[in-house]
Amino acid sequence: MAWQGLAAEFLQVPAVTRAYTSACVLTTAAVQLDLLSPFQLYFNPHLVFRKFQVWRLITSFLFFGPLGFSFFFNMLFVFRYCRLLEEGSFRGRTADFVFMFLFGGVLMTLLGLLGSLFFPGQALMAMLVYVWSRRSPRVNVNFFGPLTFQAPFLPWALLGFSLLLGNSILVDLLGITVGHIYYFLEDVFPNQPGGKRLLLTPHFLKLLLDAREEDPNYLPLPEEQPGPRLPPPQQ
């Protein structure tokens, strides 16, 4: 049946992408069914640090609003670009990928204190898109049909789209800013004269998450396959 095929395909999605998108969908479903209230999920420094409701540090990144166009739009981009990163530049480096999430989440939480950001999930999505776009500068992106451009312009296209929808662009700017900080510290500064890698993934994460061997049957997504495929050599 169709749903069985979709379920089997979803199980082949990398673990971090599958876990994060599933948590977002389940959280939204729980709110829609009145099992949870957004007031139990949002980030509130007083409730976190005075009332010890520490789960808000995580749940605030899982709720993208009620079911609707905005929710499905965000989920589409979260799933797609989280997967592209995990299967691309973070392939075989699950610990580093999780550490990127932790780094981005902590920095967004600290910066969000300045602007009373209650649900920074959209900023995390913007960060994922930004990091992928900077690591895939030659990839052409098709944005809602006829509009095609190179990947580094995608975060700004999303920001403009948010502006057209009447949403605040501050959340997108926060995600782009955090994404650029991560990209600079991870990809730019270590390659400068006298530079070094400052973001070091904790060893326990590597022991816990990194696989010892890569899957020999792995087939990357088309976006991660630069250039045409060559025919197999003749025997």
Side-chain angles (χ1 to χ4, degrees):
M1 298 178 67
W3 67 269
Q4 291 176 324
L6 290 174
E9 183 177 351
F10 186 69
L11 290 175
Q12 296 178 3
V13 173
V16 177
T17 301
R18 187 169 67 246
Y20 182 58
T21 53
S22 297
C24 292
V25 171
L26 290 174
T27 300
T28 300
V31 172
Q32 289 294 121
L33 296 172
D34 292 328
L35 300 176
L36 290 174
S37 166
F39 294 104
Q40 297 173 290
L41 307 175
Y42 77 99
F43 174 69
N44 183 311
H46 174 76
L47 295 177
V48 170
F49 300 111
R50 298 290 180 87
K51 301 295 184 179
F52 304 106
Q53 297 181 8
V54 293
W55 66 81
R56 295 177 182 271
L57 293 171
I58 297 175
T59 57
S60 59
F61 285 93
L62 302 180
F63 185 64
F64 284 78
L67 288 178
F69 175 78
S70 179
F71 170 77
F72 289 109
F73 177 84
N74 284 318
M75 283 297 95
L76 173 65
F77 274 79
V78 165
F79 180 80
R80 177 173 178 78
Y81 292 99
C82 188
R83 182 180 181 182
L84 284 173
L85 279 173
E86 191 170 5
E87 292 187 342
S89 59
F90 285 100
R91 179 186 171 196
R93 300 193 298 130
T94 303
D96 292 337
F97 193 45
V98 170
F99 185 65
M100 185 193 75
F101 267 77
L102 294 175
F103 172 82
V106 170
L107 195 53
M108 286 175 197
T109 299
L110 294 176
L111 294 176
L113 291 173
L114 304 177
S116 299
L117 181 61
F118 301 120
F119 292 105
Q122 186 174 334
L124 182 61
M125 181 270 287
M127 175 187 130
L128 294 172
V129 171
Y130 184 87
V131 173
W132 175 82
S133 70
R134 295 305 299 265
R135 290 183 170 181
S136 309
R138 296 182 178 84
V139 174
N140 289 325
V141 177
N142 184 278
F143 191 71
F144 288 111
L147 188 58
T148 301
F149 44 79
Q150 289 188 314
F153 293 101
L154 180 58
W156 306 105
L158 289 176
L159 187 146
F161 189 69
S162 293
L163 190 61
L164 287 176
L165 292 177
N167 299 327
S168 172
I169 63 173
L170 294 179
V171 178
D172 296 89
L173 285 175
L174 174 62
I176 290 173
T177 300
V178 174
H180 183 72
I181 292 173
Y182 177 84
Y183 172 75
F184 178 81
L185 293 177
E186 184 71 9
D187 294 13
V188 177
F189 183 68
N191 297 317
Q192 300 298 314
K196 62 179 181 179
R197 194 176 177 202
L198 299 177
L199 299 179
L200 301 177
T201 303
H203 186 61
F204 77 91
L205 279 180
K206 290 184 174 292
L207 290 177
L208 184 64
L209 299 173
D210 281 350
R212 296 186 179 183
E213 295 182 0
E214 294 187 0
D215 183 1
N217 298 318
Y218 170 78
L219 181 62
L221 293 174
E223 290 85 347
E224 299 298 334
Q225 300 179 29
R229 295 184 187 177
L230 297 176
Q234 299 295 327
Q235 299 293 334

